[in-house]
Amino acid sequence: MAAIELQGVSKWYGEVIGLNNVTTTIGSGITGLVGPNGAGKSTLMGLVTGQLHLSKGTLRVYGERAWDNPRVLRRLGYCPEGDTFWGYMSGRRFVGLLARLGGLTGAAVRQAVEHALELTGMAEHAHRAIRGYSKGMRQRIKLAQALVHRPDLLVLDEPFTGTDPVVRHELSTLLRQLANEGVDILISSHILHEVEALTSKILMIHHGRIVAEGDLHTVRRQMQDRPHAIRVRTDAPRRLAAHLAAWAEVTGVSVPDEDVLIVSTTKPEQVYDRLPELILREAVQVREIAAADESLEAVFGYLTAS
Amino acid sequence: MGPIASLFLFTVRQTLWQRKVAVVYLLAAVPCGLVAVVRVFHPPADYMPWEPFQIMTQFVLLMVVLPLVCILHGSALITSEAENRTFVYLTTRRLHRATVLLVRWLAVAVVLTIVLGAGAVGIWLASVWGVEPAQLVVPGRWARIEGPWSPGHDLWCYLCAIPVAVAGYLALFTLIGLASSRPLSLSLSYFILLELIVGNLPIAARVYSLSHPVRTLLVRGMPAIQRLYELPPELAKAVYPPDTTALPELLGIVAIALFLSAVLVTVRELLPTRLARE
């Protein structure tokens, strides 16, 4: 069963559209939800976690409606975006309270709390009041409360915001570990390369609509109207460029740097097939051949620009 | 400890930690302090404890302080969590939204009952501490009560009335808090118009205030206090008929207010829209 299913889901705030007729399925593993501010990411997460009502359509989380449904909520761990805490509480009490509200009792609470604090690297700071935490610590304690009751689905709204690269790396490792253990994760982020490093399953959202979904590289290849860019690092970029410009499948070449050649093409597979032969014939040294615009950032830029 | 008990204890601790509970303590101590002032400046030989005790407990603590602290807590019972964006933690666990509301209402009601009950005991102590038994016989000169007075019985009546009044006012102001975008001003307007003015006028309409069933309960336990209301005999008979407690009416008000609050908290998103839209 899919973790989350949306069928024709719309959400209006008065006359403003938050989500517009979204139909998609979010399955197992990690799914990255990306989009600019105001795209509708938090609206989607609010609907999935039962914080918002649907204006239209149906939304099912593990086959059931999410709004005010403890059967769904007990399987859900939610890390909200904002700095929302009872600041006077210590981290340990905060996570402990939410563990108990999540249904854990007795010794299982202490065990689960310590486990969640260890996983998020917050064990040594957990005795301190949350109001004294740094941004990174706040993000980690929010993550700890989200996973303390061992949910099946983690919904993480911008968990990397305000964290330094070390914390981001640690959190990414943790999320991959949880996904390997069978936890479904829906994560939104502005930091596209972090999402890209976490998963290739992407849901791109813009102006309340899903503009692309699925495997990132598949999405890129389906964008026929956008020529692909291939980057070739070589000691003789101009010599190669002269040959490549004559190829029918090549739409343009450029040499942005002394050792870099960018080849634009609408048929990247054919270019990849023919390039080795050209390189051997010309006896040039090549250090790298790679797609220059298959990154999440590039794809997202194309989609939102169009 | 299950989720309901955890939420109850959390709300109790939270209520005791809040800065505004200091205002509750202060307000609850005001009538007690006023009695102390009366005793300091009143000649001890003439001092009759019945009147200061009744006036401070009923007219200040029960009819003014209690509704005010219920406005303070009731109007923010859920909405303060929603505004602080912490409501999301309570509603993404395994509790129904209505359960969250009811448990929080109960926890705050218990805390307020204890604090205001302590206030009543304080007034009682300040009124009767060190008073000779002879002074507990109320002479007829005030034309309100005469004869021997049992302060313990009256304190017990107030201690029974306080939780009932807290339940009623807190439920009502919780409902206003959820139904209105300006709960504080609406609650205060209601309190001043209906409770302070209409509820104290010598007219039949006073029965529409929430203080009426509370007073009916008190009159049942302490018939002599009717004289404090200075109502015409006919009206007094109509407003406070003998052998009625008004308890079912009051509990009905509590039940309806809580039911409507539960419906509102279940159907309303209670999330600031600007947040939901990023």
Side-chain angles (χ1 to χ4, degrees):
Chain A
M1 181 191 294
I4 304 164
E5 290 170 274
L6 294 95
Q7 187 70 46
V9 168
S10 295
K11 172 67 184 173
W12 295 289
Y13 302 99
E15 292 180 355
V16 179
I17 294 177
L19 273 187
N20 190 0
N21 199 26
V22 169
T23 298
T24 190
T25 301
I26 297 168
S28 57
I30 304 177
T31 303
L33 181 63
V34 295
N37 280 339
K41 302 191 299 289
S42 291
T43 295
L44 179 60
M45 293 197 156
L47 292 168
V48 168
T49 55
Q51 298 298 304
L52 297 172
H53 278 302
L54 300 168
S55 301
K56 198 181 143 204
T58 55
L59 186 149
R60 292 278 180 268
V61 179
Y62 295 119
E64 298 195 57
R65 65 173 172 78
W67 179 267
D68 200 30
N69 185 349
R71 278 195 305 276
V72 167
L73 297 176
R74 72 180 55 178
R75 299 180 68 182
L76 192 102
Y78 180 42
C79 176
E81 181 189 2
D83 261 355
T84 57
F85 297 103
W86 296 287
Y88 60 88
M89 275 188 175
S90 71
R92 185 169 277 107
R93 269 188 57 199
F94 174 65
V95 178
L97 168 70
L98 291 163
R100 281 187 288 272
L101 292 181
L104 298 181
T105 53
V109 174
R110 176 172 285 199
Q111 212 172 7
V113 168
E114 294 309 320
H115 182 63
L117 292 172
E118 285 292 335
L119 279 178
T120 52
M122 283 300 291
E124 64 177 298
H125 309 290
H127 64 283
R128 287 170 44 198
I130 296 175
R131 68 163 72 93
Y133 282 2
S134 67
K135 179 75 180 172
M137 288 156 80
R138 286 169 184 231
Q139 293 296 82
R140 282 188 281 167
I141 207 73
K142 274 197 294 185
L143 190 58
Q145 66 79 28
L147 54 86
V148 69
H149 57 299
R150 304 199 178 215
D152 298 321
L153 172 64
L154 268 178
V155 180
L156 312 175
D157 200 352
E158 303 280 354
F160 298 131
T161 305
T163 56
D164 59 48
V166 176
V167 173
R168 283 208 293 272
H169 175 73
E170 287 171 3
L171 293 182
S172 296
T173 307
L174 170 61
L175 295 180
R176 269 189 227 103
Q177 181 191 328
L178 290 168
N180 288 337
E181 289 169 8
V183 178
D184 303 325
I185 299 172
L186 176 64
I187 178 170
S188 75
S189 181
H190 288 103
I191 304 166
L192 300 184
H193 65 269
E194 288 292 349
V195 178
E196 194 174 5
L198 264 178
T199 180
S200 60
K201 280 197 290 184
I202 301 293
L203 206 59
M204 290 187 188
I205 191 165
H206 191 49
H207 291 319
R209 285 180 179 275
I210 302 286
V211 289
E213 61 181 307
D215 178 77
L216 179 63
H217 304 293
T218 311
V219 169
R220 176 65 186 94
R221 282 184 196 114
Q222 285 168 350
M223 294 165 65
Q224 300 291 344
D225 58 328
R226 291 279 176 180
H228 288 246
I230 298 168
R231 185 177 53 245
V232 183
R233 285 192 190 279
T234 172
D235 57 348
R238 286 183 178 81
R239 214 159 95 209
L240 284 182
H243 289 281
L244 286 164
W247 291 8
E249 55 269 43
V250 171
T251 56
V253 287
S254 64
V255 182
D257 212 340
E258 280 305 303
D259 64 343
V260 177
L261 168 67
I262 299 291
V263 183
S264 298
T265 174
T266 51
K267 294 170 180 167
E269 282 80 10
Q270 290 181 23
V271 174
Y272 283 122
D273 283 347
R274 290 182 65 187
L275 255 179
E277 186 195 329
L278 174 67
I279 290 163
L280 286 173
R281 200 174 64 223
E282 294 297 316
V284 295
Q285 281 194 347
V286 171
R287 291 187 295 279
E288 181 195 31
I289 300 174
D293 62 351
E294 279 195 12
S295 68
L296 180 55
E297 198 149 359
V299 173
F300 188 71
Y302 287 155
L303 285 167
T304 52
S306 62
Chain B
M1 195 190 305
I4 289 179
S6 297
L7 179 62
F8 180 85
L9 283 180
F10 162 68
T11 310
V12 167
R13 285 196 193 113
Q14 190 188 34
T15 309
L16 292 171
W17 264 95
Q18 281 174 331
R19 236 177 265 163
K20 65 186 173 190
V21 85
V23 179
V24 178
Y25 296 143
L26 200 68
L27 285 172
V30 163
C32 176
L34 288 174
V35 174
V37 169
V38 167
R39 288 198 65 177
V40 167
F41 292 102
H42 202 284
D46 283 351
Y47 176 68
M48 297 293 164
W50 185 84
E51 190 149 322
F53 171 70
Q54 290 293 351
I55 289 173
M56 289 302 161
T57 314
Q58 187 176 167
F59 291 101
V60 182
L61 186 76
L62 209 62
M63 300 302 160
V64 177
V65 173
L66 189 147
L68 282 179
V69 300
C70 287
I71 287 174
L72 210 60
H73 285 273
S75 59
L77 190 73
I78 294 295
T79 48
S80 66
E81 296 291 340
E83 283 307 312
N84 295 338
R85 297 180 271 163
T86 42
F87 193 53
V88 68
Y89 293 119
L90 304 178
T91 51
T92 49
R93 289 311 206 248
R94 58 169 58 200
L95 294 172
H96 282 290
R97 287 168 160 248
T99 310
V100 171
L101 170 94
L102 295 174
V103 172
R104 283 181 68 78
W105 173 83
L106 186 64
V108 174
V110 167
V111 171
L112 295 186
T113 297
I114 291 169
V115 173
L116 294 166
V121 172
I123 298 168
W124 185 84
L125 285 172
S127 305
V128 301
W129 188 267
V131 171
E132 296 293 322
Q135 287 177 281
L136 295 178
V137 178
V138 183
R141 61 185 155 123
W142 286 312
R144 286 171 179 162
I145 183 174
E146 52 190 299
W149 171 48
S150 166
H153 168 79
D154 285 11
L155 175 64
W156 177 245
C157 287
Y158 282 113
L159 289 180
C160 291
I162 284 172
V164 176
V166 166
Y169 281 113
L170 194 62
L172 182 67
F173 295 127
T174 298
L175 175 61
I176 293 174
L178 285 165
S180 163
S181 56
R182 294 183 179 185
L184 211 57
S185 51
L186 190 65
S187 299
L188 279 171
S189 305
Y190 162 84
F191 167 66
I192 292 166
L193 281 175
L194 211 66
E195 299 295 326
L196 277 189
I197 299 174
V198 175
N200 286 299
L201 286 175
I203 55 172
R206 63 189 278 143
V207 299
Y208 298 115
S209 72
L210 198 56
S211 61
H212 174 71
V214 179
R215 280 180 171 156
T216 309
L217 268 175
L218 292 173
V219 168
R220 178 81 191 269
M222 303 174 285
I225 62 164
Q226 261 197 84
R227 296 179 198 177
L228 288 170
Y229 307 151
E230 295 178 345
L231 295 175
E234 286 303 309
L235 183 62
K237 202 176 279 180
V239 173
Y240 302 109
D243 301 328
T244 56
T245 61
L247 198 58
E249 289 93 321
L250 194 69
L251 294 179
I253 291 169
V254 172
I256 290 168
L258 286 180
F259 173 75
L260 293 175
S261 301
V263 169
L264 282 175
V265 87
T266 303
V267 299
R268 282 190 60 191
E269 289 172 344
L270 293 168
L271 196 72
T273 305
R274 62 185 170 79
L275 291 174
R277 291 191 53 244
E278 295 184 337

